[in-house]
Amino acid sequence: MIYEPIFLDGTSGVPMYRQLYESIRDRIGGGELAVGEKMPSIRRISEELGVSRTTVEQAYQQLCVEGYLVSRPQSGYYVEAAIIEKKPAPPAEPDDSETLPGVRYDFGSRYVDSRSSDLDLWRKYVRAVLSSEEIVSSYGHHQGEPELRRQLAHYGMLLRGVNSTADRIVIGAGVQPLLSLICGLLGDKVQRVGIESPCFPHAERVFRDFRLDITPLGHDKYGVTPRELYASNVNVVYLNPSNTESMGRPMPVSRRAELLEWAENTDGIIIEDDYNGALRFRSRPVPAMQGIGNGERVIYLGSFSKLLMPSVRISYMALPPELAELYRSRGGSYNQTSSKIEQLALAGYIRDGHIEKRLRRLRKIYSEKSDRLISLLREYFGQPAGIRLAETALCAELTLDCTESARVIASKALESGVRVIPMDSSGNGAKFRLSFAGIPESDMREGVRLLHEAISPYCRSRT
Amino acid sequence: MIYEPIFLDGTSGVPMYRQLYESIRDRIGGGELAVGEKMPSIRRISEELGVSRTTVEQAYQQLCVEGYLVSRPQSGYYVEAAIIEKKPAPPAEPDDSETLPGVRYDFGSRYVDSRSSDLDLWRKYVRAVLSSEEIVSSYGHHQGEPELRRQLAHYGMLLRGVNSTADRIVIGAGVQPLLSLICGLLGDKVQRVGIESPCFPHAERVFRDFRLDITPLGHDKYGVTPRELYASNVNVVYLNPSNTESMGRPMPVSRRAELLEWAENTDGIIIEDDYNGALRFRSRPVPAMQGIGNGERVIYLGSFSKLLMPSVRISYMALPPELAELYRSRGGSYNQTSSKIEQLALAGYIRDGHIEKRLRRLRKIYSEKSDRLISLLREYFGQPAGIRLAETALCAELTLDCTESARVIASKALESGVRVIPMDSSGNGAKFRLSFAGIPESDMREGVRLLHEAISPYCRSRT
């Protein structure tokens, strides 16, 4: 019984779940809890220790996230691993959209370049929609405004090779509500879902909330391998073929075709999240998987926040014919989440050809800015540094051999007015992400210079 | 084996799922399938009949919706009842927001009264937000804009007695994404959920999508009874105490207190959907359950689409402290669904006192319009008709003893240019809903006159 020697101190100021998490983690690390062992239920620990179930759930959750425990539906929690080699954390984006005070050079910004932001044009479209009394004073269409769906069917085909009609397109305020819808539509057909590892955390969150059995899939340099998929026994897989986090480049067409073959052979479904699929500036975009196959085994997801403006939350999906039919049969029992005004503004914006112009402009801007940032990093940090472009994430990755963790160094840099995103606090090298989307090009040199100054004292191989 | 004698005809023009649905329904009605009997799995029927699983799922779904079958998670489908007394269908709102062609007098409109729509004022606030480059070109807060959450904490307390702080408020684009979030946060704590019967279909949809075990709860004239709740073995219940569909009036405070006691005694959770809770014009609004209790056992949901404009999809919930803490511990892994621009416009609108003014004005307008409609219905349809005000639904209900179904008569009325919503096609009386929200008061007399003319030929007790 692991909880006998656990004493939680309600007066210590450390949250209870944190104390519990640490106790269990230490016991796993110390071997008192062996790999494979079943953990006591949340209810039991809660009763024995006299803490709320939420407290226990939070502790277990944290242990699952870090890989110490694994949750098996209808069974319980099991010890998964004794020592965890920390994976790179997902980019720790700040909780608030506000700029941090004192930050002069912000490589961590979630803003987009103001030069690129078409703000006046966007306002024009929003105002035009807003001026219609009929539009503002009536409900929108639950599937998404028909006018926007027509534009998206055309746009998806033109720019991403997505093969869909407007009646198979469903709009939503971001990828999460669409994934919820997908889980609802698939129903009993999805029990186990395969994900890339690491996975886009917001997608994983939805699968966890639906209490699906999640199988992380390994990959080679081209992405998830067909062998992994066949061996995994999943029937639904969620992929980001245009933006594979671990590889920093899109999945080649040949691999896409192999994975489509898996879907055909096994009656499987591929959820293709084409995040920023069109926004490539180094190479030509690779066509969407949905269009490479016959569109019957792939649910295609596309988004606009990075392409348009971050404040606009419009995503869409193209459903295979069978699922589209099921969606329609459920009629109006799903509400639309995306703003009607913004949907119609976007429809006009696409209709008038602005999205293509914007893509061309963004490709040019990001190509220049990424070149500039990479060359500045090379100039200041030189050969010993690992410098890599993460194209669709719109940032550069800088890896250095340091005496302190990336987190510590990033907070030092912050004191000098430079913000970067620390990625990794373990083992070999401190890793940082520097976004080039938000920072003006003219500020880059001074920002990199100050960053170098802040990092230098902690560098093993002096640069 | 029920499927042996089933022949589906792919060339008949009747959808396959409909043919299958009818075959099974007939077999249940004819006693070939007995109540309690387990149905073959979707996969098995699909294989035996050579139709897609979606087809079978749609047929089963329809049979479940109508009460012939019941789905038991991890077990399968069972025959629930042989003969179904049709419940009133949820108001069959048209799929499209567009006004139907040829409709001159629209009592089925989902528009709000243009007199009441503050459109210019709303535009002013949206434009003000839109003019800030910083706002438009940055992401919003995942929990909802802090400024709006502060306003909502204040507003909820003032108008509905909701006891919450801004950090326990989560915003979303409608009730569905918030219910999804609730299901995700409750996790294993929710296995069975109790609902009022009939239930708001969009809420039931979410619970079904999460594959929860749904228990419909009976009610007396004050709403769901404590006895039902104690007997039901549910630990989560979804209620609409301000807008009980079946009663057309709010649940009294005494019943609210009894249900709160159930939650306290059983560690239960009440999801209180306060749809239009503030928009009462006949009587004073009853305070929210959330504020009557200590707020620890109630998740409060509030919406704005009827209050503000239908195109604005902003809902919010006030979480109990424990769940709020859990939400925060999951940090940024949930995306906000509601439009940032519209959230900030609403924050300004509330801050400047417009929402209270608007409520006063709406109460006055709807009070006048409902009086007018009820008196016109009495004048034309007289004593034999059942005429009832459904206050928070903003409509009158008209029940007549007819020779045809409400649906048939409604389509006849449509030919005369009058749209009403047919409610019930069974047994004693045809029932219609007439919304007074969208139609101008000056059009009401002619609309009711034409409706009377269209209905008269089908009335048993001539009016």
Side-chain angles (χ1 to χ4, degrees):
Chain A
M1 307 226 204
I2 66 142
Y3 40 85
E4 273 181 353
I6 291 182
F7 297 101
L8 303 183
D9 179 2
T11 64
S12 72
V14 179
M16 301 292 265
Y17 90 90
R18 188 80 206 171
Q19 294 183 42
L20 182 58
Y21 152 80
E22 284 171 1
S23 303
I24 298 175
R25 195 195 51 190
D26 291 350
R27 271 157 190 78
I28 294 175
E32 294 163 56
L33 285 163
V35 172
E37 197 169 316
K38 184 170 181 179
M39 295 293 291
S41 71
I42 287 175
R43 176 192 296 253
R44 190 164 149 210
I45 295 216
S46 142
E47 281 165 7
E48 294 279 338
L49 295 178
V51 294
S52 77
R53 288 190 210 161
T54 307
T55 298
V56 185
E57 198 205 324
Q58 283 179 296
Y60 273 27
Q61 182 96 27
Q62 187 62 33
L63 290 159
C64 285
V65 167
E66 297 187 3
Y68 291 101
L69 297 185
V70 63
S71 159
R72 302 207 182 115
Q74 269 79 55
S75 173
Y77 291 85
Y78 292 82
V79 180
E80 174 80 353
I83 297 162
I84 305 297
E85 235 184 88
K86 292 236 165 153
K87 286 184 211 155
E93 292 184 306
D95 212 45
D96 268 306
S97 57
E98 293 150 53
T99 307
L100 294 173
V103 172
R104 173 72 187 85
Y105 302 97
D106 196 348
F107 291 105
S109 168
R110 302 199 297 161
Y111 289 68
V112 292
D113 196 307
S114 58
R115 259 199 306 160
S116 71
S117 88
D118 262 5
L119 198 61
D120 289 331
L121 198 58
W122 180 249
R123 283 188 190 119
K124 199 192 90 182
Y125 281 96
V126 175
R127 287 197 180 119
V129 176
L130 207 58
S131 70
S132 157
E133 173 162 340
E134 183 164 322
I135 291 171
V136 181
S137 64
S138 67
Y139 287 96
H141 193 288
H142 63 88
Q143 193 172 347
E145 295 304 303
E147 170 64 11
L148 178 58
R149 285 190 280 120
R150 276 191 292 274
Q151 292 300 333
L152 288 174
H154 177 69
Y155 163 88
M157 174 47 99
L158 195 69
L159 283 147
R160 304 296 303 121
V162 174
N163 187 1
S164 176
T165 48
D167 62 332
R168 280 164 48 201
I169 285 177
V170 180
I171 292 165
V175 163
Q176 284 191 325
L178 293 178
L179 284 175
S180 294
L181 232 168
I182 291 169
C183 290
L185 289 175
L186 290 176
D188 290 336
K189 266 178 273 182
V190 52
Q191 295 290 356
R192 283 171 306 282
V193 61
I195 57 170
E196 288 169 273
S197 174
C199 178
F200 175 47
H202 290 73
E204 192 171 340
R205 180 75 262 160
V206 174
F207 300 134
R208 285 201 188 282
D209 282 358
F210 274 84
R211 293 187 251 174
L212 302 177
D213 207 340
I214 296 173
T215 306
L217 301 168
H219 52 79
D220 62 14
K221 63 181 177 171
Y222 301 125
V224 166
T225 62
R227 212 169 53 124
E228 279 275 335
L229 264 179
Y230 281 107
S232 67
N233 201 25
V234 303
N235 60 341
V236 175
V237 63
Y238 167 84
L239 299 173
N240 290 267
S242 286
N243 185 38
T244 319
E245 185 83 28
S246 49
M247 306 184 302
R249 63 175 166 190
M251 182 185 285
V253 172
S254 56
R255 176 58 52 85
R256 295 182 188 221
E258 287 172 322
L259 300 186
L260 284 165
E261 207 180 290
W262 163 84
E264 288 294 343
N265 290 343
T266 64
D267 216 19
I269 290 195
I270 294 170
I271 303 173
E272 176 185 24
D273 186 346
D274 192 34
Y275 179 76
N276 274 359
L279 190 54
R280 305 202 72 82
F281 41 90
R282 291 274 162 191
S283 52
R284 286 192 62 77
V286 181
M289 294 180 78
Q290 195 267 7
I292 299 174
N294 58 11
E296 288 185 9
R297 308 241 57 90
V298 178
I299 302 170
Y300 175 88
L301 290 170
S303 294
F304 282 93
S305 59
K306 272 283 186 299
L307 199 54
L308 203 58
M309 357 228 119
S311 68
V312 175
R313 295 205 61 75
I314 301 181
S315 295
Y316 67 105
M317 61 181 172
L319 290 170
E322 262 199 36
L323 281 177
E325 201 190 316
L326 177 62
Y327 174 85
R328 273 193 302 279
S329 77
R330 293 190 180 168
S333 70
Y334 291 112
N335 270 137
Q336 179 52 231
T337 47
S338 198
S339 157
K340 182 183 182 187
I341 308 293
E342 288 171 7
Q343 282 182 63
L344 289 170
L346 178 58
Y349 187 89
I350 298 177
R351 182 194 60 227
D352 298 344
H354 295 300
I355 200 92
E356 289 161 73
K357 278 187 222 154
R358 184 165 170 72
L359 256 176
R360 281 196 294 273
R361 199 165 61 249
L362 282 178
R363 283 188 188 133
K364 187 163 174 297
I365 290 174
Y366 289 143
S367 175
E368 286 167 9
K369 289 181 85 175
S370 62
D371 281 351
R372 179 83 179 130
L373 179 58
I374 296 281
S375 85
L376 282 167
L377 289 173
R378 290 217 178 100
E379 180 183 332
Y380 279 91
F381 291 90
Q383 224 22 273
I387 295 165
R388 198 183 75 144
L389 174 70
E391 189 177 341
T392 36
L394 303 179
C395 60
E397 282 178 8
L398 173 67
T399 311
L400 294 164
D401 188 13
C402 287
T403 56
E404 285 287 351
S405 73
R407 210 162 285 272
V408 168
I409 297 173
S411 68
K412 288 288 167 193
L414 212 52
E415 289 170 18
S416 313
V418 185
R419 183 157 72 130
V420 296
I421 307 290
M423 291 291 287
D424 199 350
S425 55
S426 81
N428 34 5
K431 195 162 152 190
F432 308 90
R433 274 201 160 183
L434 286 78
S435 162
F436 51 80
I439 191 167
E441 209 173 319
S442 53
D443 280 355
M444 281 185 178
R445 175 173 289 277
E446 185 59 11
V448 172
R449 193 189 66 75
L450 284 170
L451 178 68
H452 179 255
E453 209 173 272
I455 290 183
S456 279
Y458 307 101
C459 270
R460 282 221 182 77
S461 44
R462 283 302 167 92
T463 57
Chain B
M1 311 228 203
I2 68 144
Y3 40 84
E4 272 182 352
I6 291 181
F7 297 102
L8 303 184
D9 179 1
T11 64
S12 72
V14 180
M16 300 293 265
Y17 90 91
R18 188 80 207 171
Q19 296 183 42
L20 183 59
Y21 152 81
E22 283 170 3
S23 303
I24 298 174
R25 195 195 52 191
D26 293 349
R27 272 156 188 79
I28 294 174
E32 293 162 58
L33 285 163
V35 172
E37 196 167 316
K38 184 170 180 181
M39 295 292 291
S41 72
I42 288 175
R43 177 192 295 253
R44 191 165 146 207
I45 296 215
S46 142
E47 281 165 6
E48 293 280 338
L49 294 178
V51 295
S52 77
R53 288 191 210 159
T54 307
T55 298
V56 185
E57 199 204 321
Q58 283 179 296
Y60 273 27
Q61 182 96 26
Q62 186 62 32
L63 290 159
C64 285
V65 166
E66 297 185 5
Y68 291 102
L69 296 186
V70 64
S71 159
R72 301 205 184 117
Q74 268 76 55
S75 173
Y77 290 86
Y78 292 82
V79 180
E80 173 80 355
I83 297 161
I84 305 296
E85 234 184 87
K86 292 236 167 155
K87 286 185 211 155
E93 293 183 305
D95 212 45
D96 266 307
S97 57
E98 292 148 55
T99 308
L100 293 173
V103 172
R104 173 72 187 85
Y105 303 97
D106 195 347
F107 292 105
S109 168
R110 302 199 296 162
Y111 289 68
V112 293
D113 196 308
S114 57
R115 260 200 306 161
S116 71
S117 87
D118 262 5
L119 197 60
D120 289 333
L121 198 57
W122 179 248
R123 282 188 191 119
K124 200 191 88 181
Y125 281 96
V126 175
R127 286 197 182 118
V129 176
L130 207 58
S131 70
S132 156
E133 174 164 338
E134 184 165 322
I135 291 171
V136 181
S137 65
S138 68
Y139 285 97
H141 194 290
H142 63 88
Q143 192 173 349
E145 295 305 303
E147 171 64 13
L148 178 59
R149 286 189 279 120
R150 277 191 292 274
Q151 293 298 334
L152 288 173
H154 176 71
Y155 163 89
M157 172 49 97
L158 195 72
L159 283 148
R160 304 296 303 120
V162 174
N163 187 1
S164 176
T165 47
D167 62 331
R168 280 165 46 201
I169 284 177
V170 181
I171 293 166
V175 162
Q176 284 189 325
L178 293 177
L179 284 175
S180 294
L181 232 167
I182 291 170
C183 290
L185 289 175
L186 290 176
D188 289 337
K189 267 180 270 182
V190 52
Q191 294 292 355
R192 284 171 305 282
V193 60
I195 56 170
E196 290 170 271
S197 174
C199 176
F200 175 47
H202 290 72
E204 191 170 340
R205 181 74 260 160
V206 174
F207 300 134
R208 284 201 188 283
D209 282 357
F210 273 85
R211 294 186 249 174
L212 301 177
D213 209 340
I214 296 173
T215 306
L217 301 168
H219 52 78
D220 62 14
K221 63 181 177 172
Y222 301 125
V224 166
T225 63
R227 211 168 54 122
E228 278 275 336
L229 264 180
Y230 282 106
S232 68
N233 201 25
V234 303
N235 60 342
V236 175
V237 62
Y238 167 83
L239 300 172
N240 289 267
S242 286
N243 185 38
T244 321
E245 186 82 27
S246 50
M247 304 185 303
R249 63 176 165 188
M251 182 186 285
V253 173
S254 56
R255 177 56 54 86
R256 294 180 189 224
E258 287 172 322
L259 301 187
L260 284 166
E261 207 179 290
W262 163 83
E264 288 292 345
N265 290 343
T266 63
D267 215 20
I269 289 198
I270 294 171
I271 303 172
E272 176 184 24
D273 186 347
D274 192 35
Y275 179 76
N276 273 359
L279 190 54
R280 305 202 71 84
F281 40 89
R282 291 274 160 190
S283 52
R284 286 190 61 75
V286 181
M289 295 180 78
Q290 195 267 7
I292 299 174
N294 58 10
E296 287 185 9
R297 308 241 57 91
V298 178
I299 301 170
Y300 175 88
L301 290 170
S303 293
F304 282 94
S305 59
K306 272 284 187 297
L307 198 56
L308 202 58
M309 355 230 119
S311 67
V312 175
R313 296 206 60 75
I314 301 181
S315 295
Y316 66 105
M317 61 180 172
L319 289 171
E322 262 197 39
L323 280 178
E325 202 189 315
L326 177 62
Y327 174 83
R328 273 193 302 278
S329 78
R330 292 190 180 170
S333 71
Y334 290 112
N335 269 135
Q336 179 52 233
T337 47
S338 198
S339 156
K340 182 183 181 186
I341 308 294
E342 288 170 7
Q343 282 183 64
L344 288 170
L346 178 58
Y349 187 88
I350 297 177
R351 180 193 62 227
D352 297 344
H354 294 302
I355 200 93
E356 290 161 73
K357 277 187 221 155
R358 185 167 170 71
L359 255 176
R360 282 197 294 273
R361 198 165 63 249
L362 281 179
R363 283 188 187 131
K364 186 161 175 296
I365 290 174
Y366 288 143
S367 174
E368 285 167 10
K369 289 181 85 174
S370 63
D371 281 353
R372 180 80 180 132
L373 179 58
I374 296 281
S375 84
L376 281 168
L377 289 174
R378 289 218 177 98
E379 181 184 333
Y380 279 89
F381 290 91
Q383 227 18 278
I387 295 164
R388 196 182 76 143
L389 175 69
E391 190 178 341
T392 34
L394 303 178
C395 61
E397 282 179 8
L398 173 67
T399 311
L400 293 164
D401 189 12
C402 287
T403 55
E404 284 288 351
S405 73
R407 208 162 285 273
V408 169
I409 297 173
S411 68
K412 288 286 168 197
L414 211 52
E415 290 170 17
S416 311
V418 185
R419 183 157 71 131
V420 296
I421 307 288
M423 291 292 288
D424 200 350
S425 57
S426 81
N428 33 5
K431 193 160 150 192
F432 307 91
R433 275 201 159 180
L434 285 78
S435 161
F436 51 80
I439 192 168
E441 208 172 321
S442 53
D443 280 354
M444 281 186 177
R445 174 172 290 278
E446 186 58 11
V448 172
R449 193 189 68 75
L450 284 171
L451 178 68
H452 179 255
E453 210 172 272
I455 291 183
S456 280
Y458 306 101
C459 270
R460 284 221 181 76
S461 44
R462 282 299 166 95
T463 56

